[in-house]
Amino acid sequence: MKLSRRNLLRSLGISMAGGIFLNGVSSKKAFGEEKVMPDMMPKMHKPMMPSPTKKRAVILGGGYSGLYCAITLRELAPDAEIVVVEKYPFFVSGPSHIDFVAGLKHLDDISRSYDPVSARNIRVVRSEIIGIIPDERRVLTSSGDIEYNFLVISTGIRIADEDVLNLIEQPASNSHAWELGETVEMRKRIEAFKGGRVVLTVPTAPFKCPPGPYEVACLLREYFDSKKIKAEITIVDANDKPQPGPLAQKWTSVLEARNIIYKPNNKVIEIDAAGKQVITDKGEKVGYDFVSIIPSNKAATFIKDAGLGDPFVDVDPATFKSKKYDNIFAVGDCAKVPYTKSAFTASLQGKSVAHHVA
């Protein structure tokens, strides 16, 4: 049986959530002809829309948790005004980034238009989120301000490049599958790779898609072997065992079977691009010809600035309600909850919060 991400997860006893749940328009145009990050000048303190005259729920982020929340809320509250603020012009399946970097899927396969969401009378606003003023019930975006009655934060994670010395100064030396732009770049680098030492790093838990780094390693082994490319693959892990913890023993066996070197308890704190090596908190230097560093995962900086939590949004893990504001919720990867940061759990959280808001 040919190795794929789905088959690999099944061998570990993991059930994947269904595929992209949005039907319809291909996003080829969005990927090929539109810029992901448009050049938009901030219009601070200028309203994007009038003050709400009925219940308005503003959802920050159009990923799995945000969209499940919006669609479920529309079913529960037909008359509510629902606004989704999203910086990208199309939906991209986060879990499928891994399939893409391994050459198993194309960009069109893992992306969809937001048109089916808009067709449900949900307003999708393409804009960059700048900040939140909780006491004024207001969100600041690059296109103007939006007032809300209820706010659902589902902005996912921010990759904290600043936590790895020299990484910000040497961005061209690294790429990973945890952000869209980085995913595209990593695919290009994999296709250009001719052989040598491959180093993949894992940040301290919690982080988005815990099985992901180990899946990438296994799928790269399959890819390189199929191309007859000689590659020594090493995982440098900040954790004491593969994540998530309950699958550690199975992952260890899978990695050994694929001749993947595993170095636990080694947090990468520095990259030396000139010397082609990463340096860990133990002082160990690991050389590479191809490197993929996943820095620490944190919530967006505007969440900390708004006093809503650091490094994630502080919420009640049962209701996902902010510990400071009764009308603010956080779901998915940006929330501080004792659950795995995955698309499946994020989707369930989005549905749950919709019932609280309705």
Side-chain angles (χ1 to χ4, degrees), residues 33-47:
E33 299 178 11
E34 293 187 66
K35 294 181 180 179
V36 170
M37 293 298 294
D39 182 16
M40 297 180 292
M41 293 298 292
K43 301 174 182 178
M44 298 294 288
H45 307 303
K46 293 184 179 180

Side-chain angles (χ1 to χ4, degrees), residues 2-54:
K2 181 176 176 60
L3 183 65
S4 68
R5 184 177 187 231
R6 185 176 295 274
N7 290 333
L8 178 60
L9 289 178
R10 282 176 176 167
S11 73
L12 292 168
I14 304 173
S15 174
M16 288 187 68
I20 300 172
F21 62 93
L22 301 176
N23 297 316
V25 185
S26 165
S27 60
K28 183 176 181 179
K29 179 178 180 181
F31 274 112
E33 299 178 11
E34 293 187 66
K35 294 181 180 179
V36 170
M37 293 298 294
D39 182 16
M40 297 180 292
M41 293 298 292
K43 301 174 182 178
M44 298 294 288
H45 307 303
K46 293 184 179 180
M48 181 192 300
M49 56 188 72
S51 298
T53 57
K54 56 183 178 180

Side-chain angles (χ1 to χ4, degrees), residues 65 69 150-154 308 312-342 344-357:
S65 58
C69 181
F150 291 92
L151 180 67
V152 180
I153 305 171
S154 56
L308 295 173
F312 301 105
V313 185
D314 290 322
V315 297
D316 180 329
T319 64
F320 307 101
K321 182 184 294 185
S322 166
K323 292 185 176 181
K324 294 183 66 175
Y325 298 92
D326 288 340
N327 65 333
I328 296 179
F329 298 81
V331 290
D333 298 338
C334 70
K336 184 179 180 180
V337 291
Y339 315 123
T340 301
K341 293 187 181 300
S342 69
F344 179 69
T345 58
S347 302
L348 295 179
Q349 292 168 33
K351 288 183 177 181
S352 175
V353 164
H355 285 80
H356 291 292
V357 173

